[in-house]
Amino acid sequence: MTEVREVVSGPAPAPARTDPAHDGPDGRHGPDGEARVRELLGRMTIEEKVAQLVGFWEKADGEAVAPLQGEFSEVVRIEDFSRHGLGHLTRAYGTRPVETAARAAWLWKFQSDLVTGTRLGIPAIVHEECLTGLSAWKAATFPTPLAWGAAFDPDLVTEMAASIGASMRALGIHQGLAPVLDVIRDPRWGRVDECIAEDPYLVGTIGTSYVRGLQSQGVHATLKHFAGYSASRAGRNFAPVHAGPRELADVLFPPFEMALLDGAARSVMHSYAEIDGVPVAADPTMLTGVLRDRWGFDGTVVADYFGVAFLNLLHHVAGDHGEAAVQALTAGVDIELPTGDAYLTLPETVRAGKLDEAVIDRAVLRVLRQKLDLGLLDATFTDGPTASVDLDSPEHRAIARRLAEKSIVLVANQGTLPLPAGRRVAVIGPNADRQSALFGCYSFLNHVLVQHPGVEIGIEVPTVLDAIRADFGAERVSWAQGCDLDDDDRSGFDEAVATASAADVAVLVVGDHAGLFGRGTVGEGCDRDDLELPGVQRELVEAVLATGRPVVLVLLTGRPYAVDWALARCAAVLQSFFPGEEGAGAIAGVLSGRVNPSGRLPVSLPASAGAQPYSYLHPTLGEGSEVTNLSATPAAPFGHGLSFTTFEYADLMAPATVPTDGALPVTVRVTNTGAVAGEDVVQLYGRDLVASVTRPVAQLLGYRRLNLEPGQSVTVELTVPTTRLAFSDRTLTRVVEPGDVEIWVGSSARRDTQTLVTLTGDTTPITTASPRWTTSVVS
């Protein structure tokens, strides 16, 4: 019997919406809706128009969850602020721990007051962070995006995002500030844990899948951060970006293009970055020329928090907030978030003749269309919120568990894992018995709750130590912390060494703590100038290795660290990128063999900080070799990951020639040659041998996750549109050029059995109508 399945196919239709007031056949505004919003605009005063372009953030002194937050916005009553209406309500649930039922009741009352108490009766869009789940107290917390990339499973990410969206919609939230589509360029950057991968195609497919899931529930996704933010100099947050137009077009733009054209994302957030001296928030070539003129985007562009005012305060391209507002609005930033520090100056600017009111009208129309799409122009908020919403249901936890299990990467294994039953296990390390070690920077626990000591987490979060005790038996598990995460205190080393010496195997759980602006070892504003494990953690591992006991190193991190020294000396190395509330059980399951690891590295595992910035997408001279004494070769390549079984690839087949405007069918036979069932990620790579500009030595063209029983063989056919091989030529036109291409299928970006394909015909320019997705069929 032949089984045929197809995945990763696109473009898909726009996500279904669940709200009323959609006039168009595609779920968007039609002619009647457009007439409606224009009539509404015509009745607005200038103050009412600007009110639709700003947010309100109800926050208390001492709370800091955004850069330079304390520099902005005097405390003002929301009733006074919104007397002319309100565009956005900022983080109603995610600013502090609040009981959702009470907060929902307050929110419905506030929206009802906007409907009945303002002249135009327009409710606000409520937005919230949702990168690792809804940012709200007691809500499910999923693995961080770097773990999504490691899972190589777009369908599961769609499922996760749909569950997040359902929770948000039930609580009256309309817009989510996710996903992050920044392509990783330097692991020293603190926000790596918010990103998906160093490969733009993996980022694009996974990110678009998140958009589809979230928007299937009637919640608008916001793509972050358009664009170039991750290419900052030396991996420093907010540092200048000197990416050239080719790097932007070929590496940094494609995920956004995919999420907009194939995922129908309805909102985009600008990047804080300045690119070659021009801040993105004031750059019409980016926010209008690329987004709207080239890609046809018709949604809203929102400011990253305080990003408009930063044109004055940090970039110094504006003399005051009024000038900053004019620059941002003219460039294409429709909505200032989280407040209105700059845009509230716009009425006076218009009256002074310094801005054409038509520029304001353009942005207001976009906001009104979005509110029409969301059903807000007909909403009355008289029925009240849902009585009870389970934000951490068994369904949430099942998705979190599956994603955590699929994301764990077995980097090295000297035949030690899985651990046999009956072993005495010493669990050691600063991340072994710490709940927050499982979560990323934008989790509610590390983003908000850390500022409210004494408040319970509100969800069940077993630690790695808890999970190992559950799998191996508490009587066989001993424990010692050894050291803290990021200081030089070695006083716990002796206890750690003694604990390891008395056991059969030592499991060392080391890594990161995610935080904000220097309050963590990774996260927003928590950048590194080296890639050694923080503090004295490496010394702790060395001390335990010296006992002679087998050491299983578990890296619980938000970035890859330079641990090449550990790969040969440790009995096994596991990499887990902040795996979420079910992550501890997934790690323990790999140790015991209950879970067969199948994650793959979404970012190269570096050998040194001195090789950064590094990407596997480098040209020939990017590797180093004999032309320099400093090698950039990573300790483990992009796509690498081991299993408790083995997989064999055979019968790689591809046509000898393919037209430049065609598609490349590649087939390969995959067999599970081991004794246990397992999941493999088939990865197809290509290399353009001669081109008009330098090209990467390897480029991911497509991938497919498989589940195979022992001895089972399947044939995988991946159909690659030749546009996957497109690049910007010397005139900066994106084209597919004729010539020879090496292709190979393997278990990482390192070259395996390969074949040669010749692209024939004329050089072919690509457009937004060109296909972007590789499809796969298994038989």
Side-chain angles (χ1 to χ4, degrees), residues 576-664:
S576 180
F577 296 112
F578 293 147
E581 63 186 18
E582 290 285 337
I587 291 169
V590 171
L591 297 176
S592 68
R594 175 170 49 83
V595 174
N596 191 347
S598 60
R600 301 293 184 263
L601 289 175
V603 60
S604 306
L605 203 63
S608 73
Q612 308 310 313
Y614 173 88
S615 168
Y616 94 97
L617 293 166
H618 61 78
T620 301
L621 292 183
E623 191 86 0
S625 67
E626 69 274 7
V627 302
T628 175
N629 64 317
L630 296 177
S631 173
T633 303
F638 174 86
H640 170 74
L642 304 176
S643 171
F644 293 152
T645 188
T646 54
F647 299 95
E648 180 181 274
Y649 300 98
D651 303 329
L652 176 63
M653 298 181 65
T657 61
V658 171
T660 53
D661 60 352
L664 168 63

Side-chain angles (χ1 to χ4, degrees), residues 683-756:
Q683 302 164 50
L684 173 63
Y685 293 90
R687 179 187 183 188
D688 196 338
L689 294 181
V690 178
S692 59
V693 299
T694 62
R695 300 296 297 136
V697 297
Q699 176 187 353
L700 182 68
L701 299 180
Y703 61 91
R704 176 64 190 256
R705 178 176 272 272
L706 301 171
N707 190 344
L708 298 178
E709 295 297 320
Q712 184 182 5
S713 291
V714 296
T715 296
V716 180
E717 180 176 357
L718 298 114
T719 302
V720 184
T722 53
T723 47
R724 291 284 306 113
L725 291 160
F727 59 89
S728 299
D729 67 11
R730 295 190 185 192
T731 68
L732 295 178
T733 303
R734 283 182 57 79
V735 298
V736 180
E737 290 184 346
D740 293 338
V741 177
E742 282 182 349
I743 61 167
W744 64 95
V745 174
S747 54
S748 77
R750 285 189 179 150
R751 198 165 310 159
D752 210 324
T753 304
Q754 61 199 40
T755 188
L756 192 69

